[in-house]
Amino acid sequence: MLLSPASTSASLPSQSFWGKFKKKDKESEFRERQAQMALARQRLLTLAYEDMETVRMLPNSFPELEAVARDWTKPPPDAVFGLRVPVEFASLHASRLVSGPYIYLTGEDSYQIAIMGVQGLRVEIVSDAPPPPDEPPPPPPPPVTEMPATFNLELVPGQHVVLETTVASADDVDMARMEDGTVVDGQFWGKLNIVHDGGTHTVDFTGTRILNPDVPPDMLFDSRVMSKLTTAAKPSSVKCHLSILSPAQQYCDVILSVNPLWRLELTWPPAQPVNETKVKYFLRVHPGGALEHFESEMVTTSLYYEAVPDPAMVDPNDFIAPRNGYAMTFRDFVPHLMSVLDQLGMSMHARTNFINNNISAFSAHKNIAYRFLSPSKIAAAIDISVTSDPCVFTRLFLIFRGLSDDDVGLFAGAGEKEANSVNWREIVGWSENSKDTTQFRLLETSVFEVT
């Protein structure tokens, strides 16, 4: 393709001689002037006084700057007032002519030289006037010393009375606020005590603020009632302690398996889950009874776990009845239990720990009915397997429940006397090998309060 000067202007200079004679458009000049004004308006001013700062638009003249600074600080008429610019914020021309750290603005000339070519300016105010005052807080509302009161009271079921009166404060104390200024407002649930004793008439109210006013009063409960409901709704759990006594140091796995009608709630140290009904411990056991749990890197003397049965299968009257259990008072039960644990080969230290760990639950009842489960019944709920053969198992599973004075009569032929004549070693499957220090032995103590 052939190109000629007539077909293209690529080779011609961009600003030719003839371009100087182009007619200027007034609209383009106006737009250019607007753009320049917009750029000029974008310059900002930072005013600093002591540790306070504010940002304003940069004024065009020194009188306007001084007016802005005085309006912000509001100095007294006789206060010293001056303006200065740090040299690093001033124009390059002005900073080269000053050897100090500041350029003091004394008039229009020094101000114009300082802002020459800068996009923003920092001006520090030098004055002995106090700092600019904060916005004054709104005046406090007048104190409430008197207000009407209406009491809707139910004296007896079906009999209501309304008291309309005026409540006045003593010594003109503000009844709407506390000493720290907190406003007392809203709905409260609590106790109203009205006393008329001779010439003494008092009204005393103690209550708790209702956060949700839409809740009807019939749905409110006293804190003591709520605590009792929480305790009653909490399912009972079996608390188990497992100790291992080995004649020599060795590694072993301990596997806990629960019946589908039970679930493990807690294990400590944390056990390794195998499936929904089985967990496993990998341990190194020592002759002194110490257990090293490798996953948690902990050393302990026993494993602890809790299991919860299905509430639908727990019937207190069936679990402990006169045909399979024994009842006595709390004061007789603790010494009796110590004697039974002694028959089952537990050391004094182990017996003491067993009682101390459960004395709080025992003491909550005036009368107690109890029984020990056989090994087959324990294994049907919670089974234990150990990778050590042979192993001597001793599993003591105590079930107890509280009895009222009326219920104690149902155990007339199953009291402390009858309990003392029971061969508990035969019931729990106790063996003489549990005392043999040359055997690998496992001792589990479990307590289950049936409620």
Side-chain angles (χ1 to χ4, degrees):
M1 179 179 180
L2 297 177
L3 298 177
S4 67
S7 63
T8 180
S9 60
S11 60
L12 297 178
S14 59
Q15 294 186 1
S16 64
F17 173 77
W18 300 104
K20 297 180 181 180
F21 294 95
K22 289 183 179 179
K23 185 178 180 181
K24 292 186 177 180
D25 188 3
K26 291 185 178 180
E27 184 177 353
S28 62
E29 290 182 357
F30 177 73
R31 290 179 179 176
E32 183 179 354
R33 193 161 50 246
Q34 272 190 330
Q36 292 178 355
M37 293 175 63
L39 290 174
R41 286 198 299 269
Q42 289 179 357
R43 298 200 296 179
L44 301 177
L45 167 68
T46 300
L47 285 176
Y49 181 54
E50 294 185 352
D51 58 346
M52 296 178 297
E53 294 181 343
T54 185
V55 179
R56 305 292 175 87
M57 302 302 297
L58 184 64
N60 294 323
S61 62
F62 178 75
E64 294 178 1
L65 171 67
E66 187 176 14
V68 171
R70 287 183 177 273
D71 179 68
W72 181 52
T73 57
K74 296 179 175 58
D78 56 345
V80 176
F81 190 86
L83 304 175
R84 68 186 183 188
V85 178
V87 293
E88 59 267 21
F89 292 93
S91 65
L92 179 62
H93 302 286
S95 60
R96 292 174 60 187
L97 300 175
V98 178
S99 60
Y102 301 103
I103 299 175
Y104 283 84
L105 305 179
T106 58
E108 186 67 28
D109 293 340
S110 59
Y111 177 64
Q112 294 299 332
I113 295 172
I115 67 173
M116 186 184 302
V118 298
Q119 295 300 321
L121 190 68
R122 179 182 178 87
V123 177
E124 297 181 356
I125 300 172
V126 182
S127 177
D128 59 356
D134 297 331
E135 292 293 332
V144 178
T145 59
E146 186 177 283
M147 56 184 176
T150 303
F151 299 93
N152 295 311
L153 307 176
E154 185 178 9
L155 301 182
V156 295
Q159 182 180 358
H160 298 265
V161 63
V162 177
L163 299 179
E164 294 185 356
T165 183
T166 300
V167 179
S169 65
D171 302 329
D172 294 334
V173 177
D174 191 356
M175 294 188 296
R177 296 179 182 272
M178 300 172 58
E179 295 180 356
D180 58 356
T182 303
V183 177
V184 181
D185 186 20
Q187 297 182 14
F188 295 82
W189 169 264
K191 174 184 177 182
L192 177 65
N193 188 23
I194 302 177
V195 176
H196 301 289
D197 185 8
T200 303
H201 306 277
T202 60
V203 177
D204 183 22
F205 178 79
T206 303
T208 303
R209 187 173 186 176
I210 303 175
L211 299 180
N212 186 4
D214 297 332
V215 177
D218 296 341
M219 295 297 295
L220 298 177
F221 297 93
D222 185 79
S223 59
R224 293 169 295 181
V225 176
M226 287 300 298
S227 62
K228 293 180 180 178
L229 291 176
T230 303
T231 303
K234 184 179 179 181
S236 300
S237 62
V238 179
K239 300 175 176 60
C240 309
H241 294 81
L242 179 64
S243 302
I244 301 177
L245 301 175
S246 174
Q249 178 180 304
Q250 69 177 81
Y251 295 89
C252 71
D253 288 335
V254 177
I255 300 175
L256 304 177
S257 304
V258 297
N259 188 284
L261 295 176
W262 290 69
R263 70 176 187 276
L264 284 172
E265 285 284 295
L266 173 67
T267 60
W268 187 259
Q272 177 185 353
V274 178
N275 53 43
E276 293 183 357
T277 61
K278 185 181 296 185
V279 296
K280 182 177 71 173
Y281 285 100
F282 177 57
L283 306 169
R284 178 164 60 190
V285 297
H286 297 265
L291 308 176
E292 291 186 61
H293 184 235
F294 293 97
E295 186 173 353
S296 63
E297 299 181 355
M298 293 184 60
V299 179
T300 181
T301 58
S302 64
L303 306 178
Y304 178 80
Y305 45 93
E306 293 185 7
V308 177
D310 185 354
M313 61 170 284
V314 179
D315 183 3
N317 296 323
D318 183 56
F319 271 46
I320 306 175
R323 70 178 185 276
N324 56 22
Y326 303 90
M328 61 199 72
T329 63
F330 163 70
R331 291 185 175 275
D332 296 331
F333 174 72
V334 175
H336 169 76
L337 182 60
M338 286 286 284
S339 176
V340 173
L341 296 178
D342 185 23
Q343 297 177 30
L344 298 176
M346 292 185 65
S347 65
M348 181 180 296
H349 182 267
R351 297 196 305 269
T352 303
N353 284 340
F354 185 87
I355 296 296
N356 291 346
N357 291 338
N358 301 284
I359 191 65
S360 178
F362 296 154
S363 63
H365 308 287
K366 183 179 179 181
N367 305 293
I368 295 176
Y370 84 100
R371 63 181 286 205
F372 281 96
L373 293 184
S374 63
S376 60
K377 292 184 179 296
I378 301 174
I382 306 172
D383 194 16
I384 301 178
S385 58
V386 183
T387 57
S388 178
D389 190 25
C391 177
V392 179
F393 288 88
T394 303
R395 306 187 67 181
L396 307 180
F397 197 113
L398 172 68
I399 302 181
F400 77 96
R401 67 182 175 99
L403 296 177
S404 64
D405 292 337
D406 296 335
D407 292 337
V408 173
L410 301 176
F411 290 80
E416 182 183 4
K417 180 180 178 181
E418 290 76 13
N420 288 330
S421 61
V422 175
N423 186 354
W424 291 110
R425 289 188 174 185
E426 181 180 353
I427 292 178
V428 302
W430 184 86
S431 170
E432 289 288 346
N433 292 331
S434 62
K435 293 185 177 182
D436 189 354
T437 58
T438 63
Q439 298 281 342
F440 188 93
R441 297 165 292 162
L442 184 148
L443 172 63
E444 181 196 41
T445 58
S446 305
V447 178
F448 182 32
E449 180 180 4
V450 184
T451 57

